Amino acid sequence: MENRYQILVVDDDVSIVHLIETSLKQAGYEVLTAYDGETACRLADTMRPHLIVMDVMMPHCNGILATMRIRQKYNTPILILSAKAEGSDRVIGLEAGADDYLVKPFYQQELLARVRALLRRYDDLASIREVKSEDEIQVGSVVLDTASKQLIVRGESVRLTATEFKILQVLMSNPGRVYSAEEIYERVWKNDAYAVENTVMVHISRIREKLEINPKKPEYLKVVWGIGYVFEKS
């Protein structure tokens, strides 16, 4: 049933928020409301809504910046609303991390159809209803389940070797920290490290092929030249 879902509506126009809130509640959804981007980001942290309907032009952090901030932490589907219909504005919203874009004024039925489609798409990927456990390490859209020994990247399961898994576990446990090849080797192989750079480098390369959209321009697993490797906070 649709009332399982909680939706955050964000717009500085009170009348629009009320209109969308009424439509969503009539459709059976639970609704949270905010009137600026800062509040939206706080509610995304504290309430973890299943979907966010986000206006672009708002005070105290506009919708594009709020979308980017939320996307750094969560895979919550975001539907951008804007009074601008130009293609460039649509691209900016999508590149910021939004999943869909709706131009004002819009029909309520179209809004509801977009909401249903986004919820269905993300629910199929088990990416918004997933209950995080202490056995999971998540950085951006990457989740490492240390209990089931699974890697989930952008909602899809990725197969790893045992060594690749252990390397990721070391790096993802402290995102943003740089590890030398020697330190990685000692933690994973449980042996003293000596001339291990090539060994670690090969495994890092293989992980990148599985993890990154473009392994040559990695988003997550990066080299800090002359120092070591780091899993970026994203």
Side-chain angles (χ1 to χ4, degrees), residues 50-70:
H50 297 107
L51 183 143
I52 301 172
V53 179
M54 180 87 73
D55 183 41
V56 171
M57 300 302 294
M58 294 185 297
H60 312 301
C61 179
N62 65 43
I64 299 298
L65 293 176
T67 295
M68 293 173 67
R69 287 170 56 180
I70 292 169

Side-chain angles (χ1 to χ4, degrees), residues 1 3 6 25 37-39 61 92 109 125 138 141 143 154 162 215:
M1 295 180 62
N3 59 12
Q6 185 178 70
K25 284 184 174 179
E38 289 288 352
T39 304
C61 179
I92 291 172
Q109 289 304 314
L125 293 174
Q138 179 167 0
S141 60
V143 178
R154 302 172 193 90

Side-chain angles (χ1 to χ4, degrees), residues 101-145:
Y101 191 103
L102 190 58
V103 177
K104 299 177 184 178
F106 50 83
Y107 292 105
Q108 294 182 47
Q109 289 304 314
E110 182 180 6
L111 172 68
L112 291 174
R114 300 285 186 98
V115 166
R116 284 193 293 267
L118 283 173
L119 288 171
R120 184 168 57 249
R121 184 189 313 166
Y122 276 74
D123 227 5
D124 287 344
L125 293 174
S127 59
I128 60 174
R129 202 167 297 289
E130 186 178 13
V131 178
K132 302 300 179 185
S133 72
E134 293 181 356
D135 294 320
E136 290 182 351
I137 305 169
Q138 179 167 0
V139 182
S141 60
V142 181
V143 178
L144 193 69
D145 190 322

Side-chain angles (χ1 to χ4, degrees), residues 17-95:
V17 170
H18 179 70
L19 176 66
I20 297 174
E21 180 182 14
T22 301
S23 296
L24 291 173
K25 284 184 174 179
Q26 289 176 347
Y29 299 105
E30 297 179 6
V31 180
L32 301 167
T33 59
Y35 302 96
D36 60 76
E38 289 288 352
T39 304
C41 291
R42 287 197 297 271
L43 286 173
D45 280 330
T46 58
M47 301 302 295
R48 296 298 301 274
H50 297 107
L51 183 143
I52 301 172
V53 179
M54 180 87 73
D55 183 41
V56 171
M57 300 302 294
M58 294 185 297
H60 312 301
C61 179
N62 65 43
I64 299 298
L65 293 176
T67 295
M68 293 173 67
R69 287 170 56 180
I70 292 169
R71 187 57 75 234
Q72 288 177 350
K73 298 180 179 179
Y74 309 116
N75 203 28
T76 310
I78 299 175
L79 173 62
I80 286 283
L81 301 179
S82 177
K84 297 182 179 181
E86 289 84 356
S88 59
D89 292 302
R90 184 178 293 109
V91 169
I92 291 172
L94 296 175
E95 287 186 341

